[in-house]
Structure formats: structure tokens, C-alpha cells
Coordinates of all heavy atoms in Angstrom, one line a residue:
M1 N -74.2 60.2 56.2 CA -72.9 60.6 56.8 C -73.1 62.0 57.5 O -74.0 62.8 57.2 CB -71.8 60.7 55.7 CG -71.4 59.4 55.2 SD -70.5 58.4 56.5 CE -71.6 57.1 56.7
L2 N -72.1 62.3 58.3 CA -72.1 63.5 59.1 C -72.0 64.7 58.1 O -71.1 64.7 57.3 CB -71.0 63.5 60.0 CG -71.1 64.4 61.3 CD1 -72.3 64.0 62.1 CD2 -69.8 64.3 62.1
N3 N -72.9 65.7 58.2 CA -72.7 66.8 57.3 C -72.1 68.0 58.0 O -71.8 67.9 59.2 CB -74.1 67.2 56.7 CG -75.1 67.7 57.7 OD1 -74.7 68.2 58.7 ND2 -76.4 67.5 57.4
R4 N -72.0 69.1 57.3 CA -71.2 70.2 57.9 C -71.9 70.9 59.1 O -71.2 71.6 59.9 CB -70.9 71.3 56.8 CG -69.9 70.8 55.8 CD -69.7 71.8 54.7 NE -68.9 71.2 53.6 CZ -67.6 71.0 53.7 NH1 -66.9 71.3 54.7 NH2 -67.0 70.4 52.7
T5 N -73.2 70.8 59.2 CA -73.9 71.4 60.3 C -73.8 70.5 61.6 O -74.3 70.9 62.6 CB -75.4 71.7 60.0 OG1 -76.0 70.5 59.7 CG2 -75.5 72.6 58.8
G6 N -73.3 69.3 61.4 CA -73.1 68.4 62.6 C -74.3 67.5 62.8 O -74.3 66.7 63.7
S7 N -75.4 67.6 62.0 CA -76.5 66.7 62.2 C -76.2 65.5 61.4 O -75.4 65.5 60.5 CB -77.8 67.4 61.8 OG -77.8 67.6 60.4
W8 N -77.0 64.4 61.6 CA -76.7 63.1 61.1 C -77.9 62.7 60.2 O -78.8 62.0 60.7 CB -76.3 62.1 62.2 CG -75.9 60.8 61.7 CD1 -76.6 59.8 61.2 CD2 -74.5 60.3 61.6 NE1 -75.9 58.7 60.8 CE2 -74.6 59.0 61.1 CE3 -73.3 60.9 62.0 CZ2 -73.4 58.2 60.9 CZ3 -72.2 60.1 61.8 CH2 -72.2 58.8 61.3
K9 N -78.0 63.1 59.0 CA -79.0 62.6 58.1 C -80.4 62.8 58.5 O -81.3 62.4 57.9 CB -78.8 61.1 57.8 CG -77.5 60.8 57.0 CD -77.5 59.4 56.6 CE -77.3 58.4 57.7 NZ -77.0 57.1 57.2
G10 N -80.6 63.5 59.6 CA -81.9 63.8 60.2 C -82.5 62.6 60.9 O -83.7 62.5 61.2
C11 N -81.7 61.6 61.2 CA -82.1 60.5 62.0 C -82.5 60.9 63.4 O -81.9 61.8 63.9 CB -81.0 59.4 62.1 SG -80.8 58.5 60.5
C12 N -83.3 60.1 64.1 CA -83.5 60.2 65.5 C -82.3 59.7 66.2 O -81.4 59.0 65.7 CB -84.7 59.5 65.9 SG -84.6 57.7 65.7
T13 N -82.2 60.0 67.5 CA -81.0 59.7 68.3 C -80.7 58.2 68.3 O -79.6 57.7 68.2 CB -81.1 60.3 69.7 OG1 -81.3 61.7 69.6 CG2 -79.8 60.0 70.5
P14 N -81.8 57.3 68.6 CA -81.5 55.9 68.6 C -80.9 55.4 67.3 O -80.0 54.6 67.2 CB -82.9 55.3 68.8 CG -83.6 56.3 69.5 CD -83.1 57.6 69.0
A15 N -81.4 55.9 66.1 CA -80.9 55.5 64.8 C -79.5 56.0 64.7 O -78.6 55.2 64.1 CB -81.8 56.1 63.7
L16 N -79.2 57.2 65.2 CA -77.8 57.7 65.1 C -76.9 56.8 65.9 O -75.8 56.4 65.5 CB -77.8 59.1 65.6 CG -76.5 59.9 65.6 CD1 -76.9 61.4 65.3 CD2 -75.7 59.8 66.8
I17 N -77.3 56.5 67.1 CA -76.5 55.6 68.0 C -76.3 54.3 67.3 O -75.2 53.7 67.3 CB -77.1 55.4 69.4 CG1 -77.1 56.8 70.1 CG2 -76.4 54.4 70.2 CD1 -78.0 56.8 71.4
G18 N -77.3 53.8 66.7 CA -77.3 52.5 65.9 C -76.2 52.6 64.8 O -75.4 51.6 64.6
E19 N -76.2 53.7 64.1 CA -75.2 53.8 63.0 C -73.8 53.8 63.6 O -73.0 53.1 63.0 CB -75.5 55.2 62.3 CG -76.8 55.3 61.6 CD -76.6 54.8 60.1 OE1 -75.5 54.8 59.6 OE2 -77.6 54.3 59.6
I20 N -73.6 54.5 64.7 CA -72.3 54.5 65.3 C -71.9 53.1 65.7 O -70.7 52.7 65.5 CB -72.2 55.6 66.4 CG1 -72.4 57.0 65.9 CG2 -70.9 55.5 67.2 CD1 -72.7 58.0 66.9
L21 N -72.8 52.4 66.4 CA -72.5 51.1 66.9 C -72.2 50.1 65.7 O -71.3 49.3 65.8 CB -73.7 50.5 67.7 CG -73.8 51.0 69.1 CD1 -75.2 50.7 69.7 CD2 -72.7 50.5 70.0
L22 N -72.9 50.3 64.6 CA -72.6 49.4 63.4 C -71.2 49.7 62.9 O -70.5 48.8 62.5 CB -73.7 49.7 62.3 CG -75.0 48.9 62.5 CD1 -75.9 49.3 61.3 CD2 -74.7 47.4 62.5
M23 N -70.8 51.0 62.9 CA -69.5 51.3 62.4 C -68.4 50.7 63.4 O -67.5 50.2 62.9 CB -69.3 52.8 62.4 CG -70.0 53.4 61.1 SD -69.8 55.2 61.1 CE -71.3 55.6 60.3
V24 N -68.7 50.9 64.7 CA -67.7 50.4 65.7 C -67.6 48.9 65.5 O -66.5 48.3 65.4 CB -68.2 50.8 67.1 CG1 -67.3 50.0 68.1 CG2 -68.0 52.3 67.3
G25 N -68.8 48.2 65.4 CA -68.8 46.8 65.3 C -68.1 46.3 64.0 O -67.4 45.3 64.0
G26 N -68.4 47.0 62.9 CA -67.9 46.6 61.6 C -66.4 46.8 61.6 O -65.7 45.9 61.1
V27 N -65.9 47.9 62.0 CA -64.5 48.2 62.0 C -63.8 47.2 62.9 O -62.7 46.6 62.6 CB -64.2 49.6 62.4 CG1 -62.7 49.8 62.7 CG2 -64.7 50.6 61.4
N28 N -64.4 47.0 64.1 CA -63.7 46.1 65.1 C -63.7 44.7 64.5 O -62.7 44.0 64.7 CB -64.5 46.1 66.4 CG -63.7 45.5 67.5 OD1 -62.7 46.0 67.9 ND2 -64.2 44.4 68.0
W29 N -64.8 44.2 63.9 CA -64.8 42.9 63.3 C -63.7 42.8 62.2 O -63.1 41.7 62.1 CB -66.2 42.6 62.8 CG -66.5 41.1 62.9 CD1 -65.7 40.1 63.3 CD2 -67.8 40.5 62.7 NE1 -66.4 38.9 63.3 CE2 -67.7 39.2 62.9 CE3 -69.0 41.0 62.3 CZ2 -68.8 38.3 62.8 CZ3 -70.1 40.1 62.1 CH2 -70.0 38.8 62.4
G30 N -63.6 43.8 61.4 CA -62.5 43.8 60.4 C -61.1 43.7 61.1 O -60.3 42.9 60.6
L31 N -60.9 44.4 62.2 CA -59.7 44.3 62.9 C -59.5 42.9 63.5 O -58.3 42.3 63.5 CB -59.6 45.3 64.1 CG -59.5 46.7 63.6 CD1 -59.7 47.7 64.8 CD2 -58.1 47.0 63.0
V32 N -60.6 42.2 64.0 CA -60.5 40.9 64.5 C -60.0 39.9 63.4 O -59.1 39.1 63.6 CB -61.8 40.4 65.1 CG1 -61.8 38.9 65.4 CG2 -62.2 41.2 66.3
G33 N -60.6 40.2 62.1 CA -60.1 39.4 61.0 C -58.7 39.5 60.7 O -58.0 38.6 60.4
V34 N -58.2 40.8 60.7 CA -56.8 41.1 60.5 C -55.9 40.3 61.5 O -54.9 39.7 61.2 CB -56.5 42.6 60.5 CG1 -55.0 42.8 60.5 CG2 -57.2 43.3 59.4
G35 N -56.4 40.4 62.8 CA -55.7 39.7 63.9 C -55.6 38.2 63.6 O -54.5 37.6 63.9
M36 N -56.7 37.6 63.1 CA -56.7 36.2 62.8 C -55.7 35.9 61.7 O -54.9 34.9 61.8 CB -58.1 35.8 62.3 CG -59.1 35.6 63.5 SD -60.7 35.2 62.8 CE -60.4 33.5 62.3
L37 N -55.7 36.8 60.7 CA -54.8 36.5 59.5 C -53.3 36.7 59.8 O -52.5 36.0 59.2 CB -55.3 37.4 58.3 CG -56.6 37.1 57.7 CD1 -57.0 38.1 56.7 CD2 -56.7 35.7 57.2
V38 N -53.0 37.6 60.6 CA -51.6 37.8 61.0 C -51.2 36.8 62.1 O -50.0 36.9 62.5 CB -51.3 39.2 61.4 CG1 -51.6 40.2 60.3 CG2 -52.0 39.6 62.7
G39 N -52.1 35.9 62.5 CA -51.7 34.9 63.4 C -51.9 35.4 64.9 O -52.7 36.3 65.1
S40 N -51.2 34.7 65.7 CA -51.3 35.0 67.2 C -52.7 35.0 67.7 O -53.5 34.2 67.3 CB -50.7 36.4 67.5 OG -51.5 37.4 67.0
D41 N -53.0 35.9 68.6 CA -54.3 35.8 69.4 C -55.4 36.3 68.5 O -55.3 37.3 67.8 CB -54.1 36.7 70.6 CG -55.2 36.6 71.6 OD1 -56.2 35.9 71.3 OD2 -55.2 37.2 72.6
I42 N -56.6 35.7 68.7 CA -57.7 36.2 67.9 C -58.1 37.6 68.4 O -58.7 38.3 67.6 CB -58.9 35.2 68.1 CG1 -60.1 35.5 67.1 CG2 -59.4 35.1 69.5 CD1 -61.2 34.5 67.1
N43 N -57.8 37.9 69.6 CA -58.2 39.2 70.1 C -57.1 40.2 70.0 O -57.2 41.3 70.6 CB -58.7 39.1 71.6 CG -60.1 38.5 71.7 OD1 -60.9 38.9 70.9 ND2 -60.3 37.6 72.6
A44 N -56.0 39.9 69.3 CA -54.8 40.7 69.3 C -55.2 42.1 68.8 O -54.6 43.1 69.2 CB -53.7 40.1 68.4
W45 N -56.1 42.2 67.8 CA -56.4 43.5 67.2 C -57.8 43.9 67.5 O -58.4 44.8 67.0 CB -56.3 43.4 65.6 CG -54.9 43.3 65.1 CD1 -53.9 42.5 65.5 CD2 -54.3 44.2 64.1 NE1 -52.8 42.7 64.8 CE2 -53.0 43.7 64.0 CE3 -54.8 45.2 63.3 CZ2 -52.1 44.3 63.1 CZ3 -54.0 45.8 62.4 CH2 -52.6 45.4 62.3
N46 N -58.5 43.2 68.5 CA -59.8 43.5 68.9 C -59.9 44.7 69.8 O -59.5 44.5 71.0 CB -60.4 42.2 69.5 CG -61.9 42.4 69.8 OD1 -62.4 43.5 69.9 ND2 -62.6 41.3 69.9
V47 N -60.2 45.8 69.3 CA -60.2 47.1 70.1 C -61.2 47.0 71.2 O -60.8 47.4 72.4 CB -60.4 48.3 69.2 CG1 -60.5 49.6 70.0 CG2 -59.4 48.4 68.1
V48 N -62.4 46.5 71.0 CA -63.4 46.4 72.0 C -62.8 45.5 73.2 O -63.0 45.8 74.3 CB -64.7 45.8 71.5 CG1 -65.7 45.6 72.6 CG2 -65.3 46.8 70.5
H49 N -62.2 44.4 72.8 CA -61.6 43.5 73.8 C -60.4 44.2 74.5 O -60.3 44.1 75.7 CB -61.1 42.3 73.1 CG -60.5 41.3 74.1 ND1 -61.3 40.5 74.9 CD2 -59.2 41.0 74.4 CE1 -60.5 39.7 75.7 NE2 -59.2 40.0 75.4
M50 N -59.6 45.0 73.8 CA -58.5 45.7 74.4 C -59.0 46.7 75.5 O -58.5 46.8 76.6 CB -57.7 46.5 73.4 CG -56.6 45.8 72.8 SD -55.8 46.9 71.6 CE -55.8 45.9 70.1
V51 N -60.1 47.4 75.1 CA -60.6 48.5 76.0 C -61.4 47.9 77.1 O -61.3 48.3 78.3 CB -61.4 49.5 75.2 CG1 -62.0 50.6 76.1 CG2 -60.5 50.2 74.1
F52 N -62.3 46.9 76.8 CA -63.3 46.4 77.8 C -63.0 45.0 78.2 O -63.8 44.4 78.9 CB -64.7 46.6 77.2 CG -65.0 48.0 76.9 CD1 -65.1 48.4 75.5 CD2 -65.3 48.9 77.9 CE1 -65.4 49.7 75.2 CE2 -65.7 50.2 77.5 CZ -65.7 50.6 76.2
G53 N -62.0 44.4 77.6 CA -61.7 43.0 77.9 C -61.6 42.6 79.3 O -61.9 41.5 79.7
S54 N -61.1 43.6 80.1 CA -60.9 43.3 81.5 C -62.3 43.1 82.3 O -62.3 42.5 83.3 CB -60.1 44.4 82.2 OG -60.7 45.6 82.0
V55 N -63.3 43.7 81.7 CA -64.7 43.5 82.2 C -65.5 42.8 81.1 O -66.1 43.4 80.3 CB -65.3 44.8 82.6 CG1 -66.6 44.6 83.4 CG2 -64.3 45.7 83.4
S56 N -65.5 41.5 81.2 CA -66.1 40.7 80.1 C -67.6 41.0 79.9 O -68.1 40.9 78.8 CB -65.8 39.2 80.2 OG -66.4 38.8 81.5
V57 N -68.2 41.3 81.0 CA -69.7 41.7 80.9 C -69.9 42.9 80.0 O -70.8 42.9 79.1 CB -70.3 41.9 82.3 CG1 -71.7 42.4 82.2 CG2 -70.2 40.7 83.1
V58 N -69.0 43.9 80.2 CA -69.2 45.1 79.4 C -68.8 44.8 77.9 O -69.5 45.3 77.0 CB -68.2 46.2 79.9 CG1 -68.3 47.5 79.0 CG2 -68.6 46.6 81.4
E59 N -67.8 44.0 77.7 CA -67.5 43.6 76.4 C -68.6 42.9 75.7 O -69.0 43.2 74.5 CB -66.2 42.7 76.4 CG -65.7 42.4 75.0 CD -64.5 41.4 75.1 OE1 -64.2 41.0 76.2 OE2 -64.0 41.1 74.0
G60 N -69.3 42.0 76.4 CA -70.4 41.3 75.9 C -71.6 42.2 75.6 O -72.2 42.1 74.5
I61 N -71.8 43.2 76.5 CA -72.9 44.1 76.3 C -72.7 44.9 75.0 O -73.6 45.2 74.2 CB -73.0 45.1 77.5 CG1 -73.6 44.3 78.7 CG2 -73.9 46.3 77.2 CD1 -73.6 45.1 80.0
I62 N -71.4 45.3 74.7 CA -71.2 46.1 73.5 C -71.5 45.3 72.3 O -72.1 45.7 71.3 CB -69.7 46.6 73.5 CG1 -69.5 47.6 74.6 CG2 -69.3 47.1 72.1 CD1 -68.1 48.0 74.8
Y63 N -71.1 44.0 72.3 CA -71.4 43.1 71.1 C -72.9 43.0 70.9 O -73.4 43.0 69.8 CB -70.7 41.7 71.3 CG -69.2 41.8 71.4 CD1 -68.5 40.9 72.2 CD2 -68.5 42.7 70.5 CE1 -67.1 41.0 72.2 CE2 -67.1 42.7 70.6 CZ -66.4 41.9 71.4 OH -65.1 41.9 71.5
V64 N -73.6 42.8 72.1 CA -75.0 42.7 72.0 C -75.7 44.0 71.4 O -76.6 43.9 70.6 CB -75.6 42.4 73.4 CG1 -77.1 42.5 73.4 CG2 -75.2 41.0 73.8
L65 N -75.1 45.1 71.9 CA -75.6 46.4 71.4 C -75.4 46.6 69.9 O -76.3 47.0 69.1 CB -75.0 47.6 72.1 CG -75.4 47.8 73.5 CD1 -74.6 48.9 74.2 CD2 -76.9 48.2 73.6
V66 N -74.3 46.1 69.4 CA -74.0 46.1 68.0 C -75.0 45.2 67.2 O -75.5 45.6 66.2 CB -72.5 45.7 67.7 CG1 -72.3 45.5 66.2 CG2 -71.6 46.7 68.2
G67 N -75.3 44.1 67.8 CA -76.2 43.2 67.2 C -77.6 43.8 67.2 O -78.3 43.7 66.1
I68 N -78.0 44.5 68.2 CA -79.3 45.2 68.3 C -79.3 46.2 67.2 O -80.3 46.4 66.5 CB -79.6 45.7 69.7 CG1 -79.8 44.6 70.7 CG2 -80.8 46.7 69.6 CD1 -79.8 45.0 72.1
A69 N -78.2 47.0 67.1 CA -78.2 48.0 66.1 C -78.3 47.5 64.7 O -79.0 48.1 63.8 CB -76.8 48.8 66.2
A70 N -77.7 46.3 64.4 CA -77.9 45.7 63.1 C -79.3 45.3 62.9 O -79.8 45.5 61.8 CB -77.0 44.4 63.1
V71 N -80.0 44.7 63.9 CA -81.4 44.3 63.7 C -82.2 45.6 63.5 O -83.1 45.6 62.6 CB -81.9 43.6 65.0 CG1 -83.4 43.4 64.9 CG2 -81.2 42.3 65.1
M72 N -81.9 46.7 64.2 CA -82.6 47.9 64.0 C -82.4 48.4 62.5 O -83.4 48.9 61.9 CB -82.0 49.0 64.9 CG -82.9 49.3 66.1 SD -82.2 50.7 67.1 CE -82.6 52.1 66.0
K73 N -81.2 48.2 62.0 CA -80.9 48.6 60.7 C -81.7 47.8 59.6 O -82.2 48.3 58.6 CB -79.4 48.5 60.4 CG -78.9 49.0 59.1 CD -78.8 50.5 59.2 CE -78.1 51.0 57.9 NZ -78.1 52.5 57.9
I74 N -81.8 46.5 59.9 CA -82.5 45.6 59.0 C -84.0 46.0 58.9 O -84.5 46.1 57.8 CB -82.3 44.1 59.4 CG1 -80.9 43.7 59.3 CG2 -83.3 43.2 58.6 CD1 -80.5 42.4 60.0
F75 N -84.6 46.2 60.0 CA -86.0 46.5 60.0 C -86.3 48.0 59.9 O -87.4 48.4 59.5 CB -86.6 46.0 61.3 CG -86.7 44.5 61.4 CD1 -85.7 43.8 62.1 CD2 -87.6 43.8 60.7 CE1 -85.7 42.4 62.2 CE2 -87.7 42.4 60.7 CZ -86.7 41.7 61.5
G76 N -85.3 48.8 60.1 CA -85.5 50.3 60.0 C -86.2 50.8 61.2 O -87.1 50.2 61.8
C77 N -85.8 52.1 61.5 CA -86.5 52.8 62.6 C -87.9 53.2 62.1 O -88.0 53.8 61.0 CB -85.7 53.9 63.1 SG -86.4 54.8 64.5
K78 N -88.9 53.1 62.9 CA -90.3 53.4 62.5 C -90.7 54.7 63.0 O -91.9 55.1 62.8 CB -91.2 52.3 63.1 CG -90.9 50.9 62.6 CD -91.3 50.8 61.1 CE -91.2 49.3 60.6 NZ -89.8 48.9 60.5
C79 N -89.8 55.5 63.6 CA -90.3 56.8 64.2 C -90.5 57.8 63.0 O -90.0 57.6 61.9 CB -89.3 57.3 65.2 SG -87.9 58.2 64.4
E80 N -91.3 58.8 63.3 CA -91.7 59.7 62.3 C -90.5 60.5 61.7 O -90.5 60.6 60.5 CB -92.7 60.7 62.9 CG -93.5 61.5 61.9 CD -94.4 62.5 62.6 OE1 -94.8 62.3 63.8 OE2 -94.8 63.5 61.9
K81 N -89.6 60.8 62.5 CA -88.4 61.6 62.1 C -87.6 60.8 61.0 O -87.3 61.3 60.0 CB -87.5 61.9 63.3 CG -86.6 63.0 63.0 CD -85.8 63.4 64.3 CE -84.9 64.6 64.0 NZ -84.1 64.9 65.2
C82 N -87.4 59.5 61.3 CA -86.7 58.7 60.4 C -87.4 58.4 59.1 O -86.9 58.4 58.1 CB -86.3 57.3 61.1 SG -85.0 57.5 62.3
S83 N -88.7 58.1 59.3 CA -89.5 57.7 58.0 C -89.6 59.0 57.1 O -89.8 58.8 55.9 CB -90.8 57.1 58.4 OG -91.4 57.7 59.5
N84 N -89.5 60.2 57.7 CA -89.6 61.4 56.9 C -88.2 61.7 56.3 O -88.1 62.2 55.2 CB -90.1 62.5 57.7 CG -91.6 62.4 58.0 OD1 -92.3 61.7 57.2 ND2 -92.0 63.1 59.0
M85 N -87.2 61.6 57.1 CA -85.9 62.2 56.7 C -84.7 61.3 56.5 O -83.8 61.6 55.7 CB -85.5 63.2 57.8 CG -86.5 64.3 58.0 SD -86.0 65.3 59.4 CE -84.7 66.3 58.7
C86 N -84.8 60.1 57.1 CA -83.5 59.3 57.0 C -83.6 58.3 55.9 O -84.4 57.4 55.8 CB -83.4 58.5 58.3 SG -81.8 57.6 58.3
S87 N -82.7 58.5 54.9 CA -82.7 57.7 53.7 C -82.3 56.2 54.0 O -82.7 55.3 53.4 CB -81.8 58.3 52.7 OG -80.5 58.4 53.2
S88 N -81.4 56.1 55.1 CA -80.9 54.8 55.3 C -81.7 53.9 56.2 O -81.7 52.7 56.2 CB -79.4 54.9 55.8 OG -79.5 55.3 57.1
C89 N -82.5 54.6 57.1 CA -83.2 53.8 58.1 C -84.7 54.0 58.0 O -85.5 53.4 58.8 CB -82.7 54.1 59.5 SG -82.8 55.8 60.0
G90 N -85.2 54.9 57.1 CA -86.6 55.1 57.1 C -87.2 55.2 55.7 O -88.2 54.5 55.4
A91 N -86.5 55.9 54.8 CA -87.1 56.1 53.5 C -87.3 54.8 52.7 O -88.2 54.7 51.9 CB -86.3 57.1 52.7
D92 N -86.4 53.9 52.9 CA -86.6 52.6 52.2 C -87.9 52.0 52.5 O -88.5 51.4 51.6 CB -85.4 51.7 52.7 CG -84.1 52.2 52.2 OD1 -84.0 53.1 51.4 OD2 -83.1 51.7 52.7
N93 N -88.3 52.1 53.7 CA -89.6 51.5 54.1 C -90.8 52.1 53.4 O -91.8 51.4 53.2 CB -89.8 51.6 55.7 CG -88.7 50.8 56.4 OD1 -88.1 49.9 55.9 ND2 -88.3 51.3 57.6
K94 N -90.7 53.4 53.1 CA -91.8 54.1 52.5 C -92.1 53.5 51.1 O -93.2 53.3 50.7 CB -91.6 55.6 52.5 CG -91.9 56.2 53.8 CD -92.2 57.7 53.6 CE -91.0 58.5 53.1 NZ -91.2 59.9 53.2
T95 N -91.0 53.3 50.4 CA -91.1 52.8 49.0 C -91.3 51.3 48.9 O -91.9 50.8 47.9 CB -89.9 53.3 48.2 OG1 -88.7 52.8 48.8 CG2 -89.9 54.8 48.0
A96 N -90.9 50.6 49.9 CA -90.9 49.2 49.9 C -92.4 48.7 50.1 O -92.7 47.5 49.9 CB -90.0 48.6 50.9
G97 N -93.2 49.6 50.6 CA -94.6 49.2 50.8 C -94.7 48.3 52.1 O -93.9 48.5 53.0
T98 N -95.7 47.4 52.1 CA -95.9 46.6 53.3 C -94.9 45.4 53.3 O -94.8 44.7 52.3 CB -97.3 46.1 53.4 OG1 -97.6 45.4 52.2 CG2 -98.3 47.2 53.6
M99 N -94.2 45.3 54.4 CA -93.3 44.2 54.5 C -93.7 43.2 55.6 O -94.0 43.7 56.6 CB -91.9 44.7 54.7 CG -91.1 44.9 53.4 SD -89.4 45.4 53.7 CE -88.7 44.1 54.7
Ligands
ZN101 ZN1 -86.0 56.9 64.2

């Protein structure tokens, strides 16, 4: 999480962007679920659709980026900075051995 100095767990920038995208995607998907449960349009609560829905290509790109961020998260960032400092995207790999 963001600490008081404004740095983000010591992750590299791609890992940081990935974290943000995962949050955006996760929160947005939650909102889509709420929209489904309260009825009406499936996109009624979809913030990404609200903001970028008029340009469906951009909307699609955002979903793809969130997907890429999730894949990055699953495999972990392999850069030196992350494997040394980032507990969520690098340190797991060090203790997990060869995968
Ligand atoms: Zn990294």
C-alpha cells in the first residue's frame, strides 16, 4: 500500500501501474456486479464503460490492460527492484524457488 513518503512498496513503475490497474478493474467489476443485482443495464454501474464507453476501443484496451496486469501479478515482476523489495510481486518468487 501507499506509504507516507509516497512510494509504493518499492515496486518498479510497471508493477505499480499493474497494481493500480488491478484495483481499478477489481472495483469496477464489483460495481458491474452491483449493477447486475440491482437490475437494469449490466453497464449501469460500470465506471469504465461510463467514462470510455463512447469509444469502445478505449474501453476494450482498458479491460485488456487490467487482464495483462493480472497476468503480471500471477507470474510476478522479474525485475531486480521488485525481487528485492516488493513483497507482493517479487519476494514470493524468491522463497517459492523454481516455478
Ligand atoms: Zn518490477
Side-chain angles (χ1 to χ4, degrees):
M1 287 295 114
L2 204 63
N3 65 28
R4 288 179 192 282
T5 60
S7 67
W8 187 282
K9 292 190 289 191
C11 288
C12 63
T13 305
L16 185 148
I17 294 169
E19 293 273 331
I20 293 168
L21 280 168
L22 277 179
M23 283 179 212
V24 170
V27 169
N28 196 65
W29 214 350
L31 289 170
V32 171
V34 172
M36 283 176 73
L37 292 175
V38 300
S40 71
D41 187 359
I42 188 172
N43 283 319
W45 288 52
N46 187 336
V47 175
V48 174
H49 181 77
M50 268 181 236
V51 177
F52 301 105
S54 55
V55 192
S56 58
V57 174
V58 177
E59 188 185 358
I61 287 170
I62 290 171
Y63 297 143
V64 169
L65 286 175
V66 172
I68 292 169
V71 172
M72 260 184 75
K73 185 79 173 178
I74 291 166
F75 291 100
C77 184
K78 296 290 188 286
C79 81
E80 196 179 337
K81 199 173 182 184
C82 286
S83 36
N84 285 338
M85 298 174 75
C86 184
S87 58
S88 71
C89 57
D92 294 347
N93 297 333
K94 278 204 295 191
T95 51
T98 54
M99 266 183 60

